[in-house]
Amino acid sequence: MQSEKQWRLKRMLQMVLNNEVLMAKIHPNREFWESHLEMPFDRLIQDYQDAKIRKNWLDSLSGRQLGLLFDLSMKKPPHELSVQQMRKTLTDFPEELINYFLVHHFNHAKLEAAITEIAKPILSAETMAKLLVKDDKYDKKGLLFALFKADPELLKHVYHFDKVQKKGFGSFVLKNPPRQPATSFKEFATEDVVRAALKSHDEEQNDSFETHLQGLFYHEDRLYLFIRRASDEDLLLSSNRIVHGHKSDWIILDFAANANQVNLCAKCSNQGLKIADRLVSSYFDKDCSFINMQDYNFAAQVKAFLRSCASEIDKELKLFELKFRSAHLKNNTHLILTTHPTDPIAEELEALHQAVGDILDNIAMIDSVRVVFQGKKVPPLFKDRCG
C-alpha cells in the first residue's frame, strides 16, 4: 500500500510537472501578462493548478462562451456537442485553456466600449454577430477570447484604450507651430524614435527612474503613446511581507495627426509635457513647446481684443498706450508707446514692426495697456497678467 510520504512526493512531482506544462503553454510570454497587462501572473497560475478553481471557472462560462472557447482551443466545431459535453471535454484538456483563464481575469472591470472599439475593425462580421447579446451590447469576455486568438497584442490595445476611456485629459496646443515637414508625424514617430526621446528625457531628469514605452497605436487619425514611469515611493504586502518600491505613473499622450495639438493624461503633467515637447521638437527640428488650451484661448481672446482696439473697429474703444518688451532688444528693456487718445495707434505699431516685430503677436511681452472707452480713459488693463 502506498505510504503517505510516497503519495505526497508523487503529488509534489505532479504539481511540478503541471507547472512546467502550463508554463510551456503560456502565450506569448510571462512579461506580456505580468508587465504589459499588469496582472498577478504567479497567483493566477497557482490558482489554475487547483482543479476546483478550474471547474468553477468553466461552470461560470455561458453556452456562447463555451462554444467559442471550444472552437478556439480544441480546433473542431462545437455544434455537434451539448453545453455539458463541451464543458466535460474542456475539463479533460486544462493545459489548452490556461491562456483563456488569464484572459478571463483580464476581462475584470474592462469597459465594453473599449473592447468593442478594438474588436469591430479586427474580428469578422460573423464572429461579431455570434457575440452580439442584444442591440449594440456584446459579450465582452467572448470578444476578448476571440481577440486573443487573433493576436494577443490586441489585448494591450484594449488595456490601453480602457485607460483612455476612464481617464480625464488636459488639452494642449503647440505655441507658434512651425511649418509642417515633408514627413508626416505618423511616419516620423516610430517606436525607436519615441524610445530615443524617452531615453534622452531620463538622462535629463537624472532621477534614476526609467521611462518605458508600453504602447503606440493609431486610432481615428490620432497617435496614442502609452508611457509608464515610476513616481511616488510606496509599499505593499506580499505573503505577509512588505515590499518597497514606487507607484507606476501612466502618461498617455494623444497627438493630432499634424503634432500641433496633444491631449495629456498623467499624474505629473510636467513630465508628460516635457516628453511631448521633446518629441515634437525632434519632429520639427526646432525647439517647440505646448501650452494649455485654456491659456491659449485666453491669449487668443486678448490678442483679438487688442487688435480690435488698435484698428478702431470699435469706434467707442480705442487703444492709446502700450507698455511692452521685445525679444529684439537687450537687457529686457521696457518701452512705452503712447499716442493722443483721439489719434489711431495702428500707424505707430506698423512703424515699429520692422524694429521690434509685431508687438501684439506675443501678449506675454505686453505688461499693460490703456484704452479710451466712450471718451474716458480706463485704468491700465492686463497689468501683471499678460506675462
Side-chain angles (χ1 to χ4, degrees):
M1 188 173 178
Q2 188 181 40
S3 68
E4 182 178 351
K5 185 175 181 181
Q6 289 175 320
W7 181 85
R8 285 184 176 178
L9 179 60
K10 182 179 179 181
R11 177 62 177 161
M12 187 170 64
L13 290 173
Q14 183 180 13
M15 289 296 290
V16 171
L17 176 62
N18 285 345
N19 190 61
E20 289 177 351
V21 170
L22 290 178
M23 292 306 294
K25 290 288 185 178
I26 293 299
H27 185 68
N29 52 50
R30 179 192 188 102
E31 182 185 11
F32 173 81
W33 299 100
E34 191 169 55
S35 178
H36 291 287
L37 301 186
E38 298 184 327
M39 294 176 62
F41 182 80
D42 287 333
R43 179 180 65 77
L44 291 174
I45 294 298
Q46 185 177 354
D47 287 349
Y48 192 74
Q49 289 176 323
D50 188 320
K52 185 177 180 181
I53 291 178
R54 290 199 303 273
K55 181 179 183 304
N56 289 341
W57 168 56
L58 286 173
D59 288 345
S60 73
L61 299 179
S62 68
R64 179 190 291 107
Q65 292 164 352
L66 277 171
L68 179 64
L69 197 58
F70 194 94
D71 189 28
L72 296 176
S73 60
M74 304 307 294
K75 299 181 178 60
K76 50 184 169 181
H79 58 267
E80 298 177 357
L81 301 176
S82 67
V83 170
Q84 291 78 10
Q85 289 173 322
M86 285 191 291
R87 188 173 278 120
K88 171 66 170 61
T89 303
L90 290 171
T91 302
D92 294 337
F93 295 92
E95 69 278 3
E96 300 298 331
L97 304 179
I98 177 59
N99 292 302
Y100 295 102
F101 179 75
L102 296 175
V103 174
H104 165 87
H105 285 276
F106 170 76
N107 171 68
H108 178 68
K110 300 297 181 296
L111 294 175
E112 182 188 343
I115 299 172
T116 55
E117 192 80 21
I118 302 300
K120 283 182 176 180
I122 300 296
L123 301 181
S124 68
E126 181 183 2
T127 300
M128 294 298 295
K130 285 181 180 178
L131 296 172
L132 182 64
V133 179
K134 61 178 180 179
D135 300 328
D136 288 329
K137 187 174 180 62
Y138 290 88
D139 185 325
K140 288 199 315 173
K141 202 176 297 179
L143 289 177
L144 290 175
F145 287 161
L147 284 173
F148 176 79
K149 181 66 176 180
D151 183 359
E153 289 291 308
L154 293 170
L155 294 195
K156 288 167 62 173
H157 292 346
V158 171
Y159 187 56
H160 297 150
F161 208 74
D162 185 69
K163 290 183 180 293
V164 171
Q165 302 249 348
K166 291 177 178 176
K167 302 284 187 179
F169 285 76
S171 186
F172 297 82
V173 293
L174 203 57
K175 185 178 180 181
N176 302 322
R179 292 182 62 181
Q180 289 295 132
T183 304
S184 71
F185 189 56
K186 178 179 180 179
E187 294 172 320
F188 167 81
T190 63
E191 290 192 3
D192 288 342
V193 167
V194 175
R195 288 195 176 96
L198 296 181
K199 183 178 179 181
S200 298
H201 174 75
D202 288 341
E203 291 171 353
E204 182 181 86
Q205 295 302 111
N206 194 28
D207 56 8
S208 77
F209 294 151
E210 291 186 4
T211 309
H212 296 281
L213 177 65
Q214 295 296 107
L216 179 157
F217 71 89
Y218 301 92
H219 183 71
E220 296 182 348
D221 290 328
R222 307 285 299 190
L223 168 65
Y224 289 87
L225 299 182
F226 297 87
I227 297 162
R228 190 171 62 194
R229 198 175 200 274
S231 59
D232 303 332
E233 287 191 42
D234 201 2
L235 57 85
L236 53 82
L237 289 174
S238 176
S239 301
N240 208 31
R241 290 177 55 249
I242 291 180
V243 179
H244 292 269
H246 293 83
K247 292 180 180 178
S248 63
D249 181 20
W250 278 87
I251 300 170
I252 305 175
L253 296 171
D254 162 20
F255 286 98
N258 61 4
N260 285 348
Q261 186 272 331
V262 66
N263 298 321
L264 167 65
C265 174
K267 181 180 178 181
C268 180
S269 60
N270 185 46
Q271 292 280 345
L273 278 177
K274 286 181 178 179
I275 293 170
D277 290 349
R278 183 180 295 277
L279 191 59
V280 297
S281 295
S282 179
Y283 172 58
F284 288 109
D285 197 23
K286 65 178 297 184
D287 289 339
C288 297
S289 61
F290 284 99
I291 58 173
N292 190 288
M293 182 69 86
Q294 291 181 338
D295 295 337
Y296 175 82
N297 288 339
F298 172 73
Q301 290 170 357
V302 172
K303 283 183 186 180
F305 170 75
L306 293 179
R307 291 193 187 281
S308 175
C309 293
S311 65
E312 297 188 285
I313 293 174
D314 187 339
K315 298 299 182 181
E316 293 187 332
L317 194 60
K318 297 181 179 181
L319 176 65
F320 74 91
E321 182 180 290
L322 272 167
K323 182 180 179 182
F324 65 96
R325 290 159 288 134
S326 173
H328 293 74
L329 303 174
K330 296 180 179 179
N331 302 323
N332 207 28
T333 302
H334 292 256
L335 297 177
I336 299 178
L337 174 63
T338 305
T339 65
H340 190 277
T342 60
D343 295 335
I345 202 172
E347 294 179 4
E348 279 70 15
L349 291 173
E350 182 63 29
L352 285 172
H353 189 280
Q354 188 172 357
V356 296
D358 185 354
I359 298 170
L360 300 184
D361 189 57
N362 186 0
I363 66 167
M365 301 297 280
I366 299 175
D367 297 317
S368 66
V369 301
R370 297 193 67 187
V371 298
V372 172
F373 179 62
Q374 294 181 344
K376 294 181 180 180
K377 294 181 181 179
V378 178
L381 301 177
F382 314 123
K383 190 174 182 179
D384 300 326
R385 294 202 301 178
C386 291

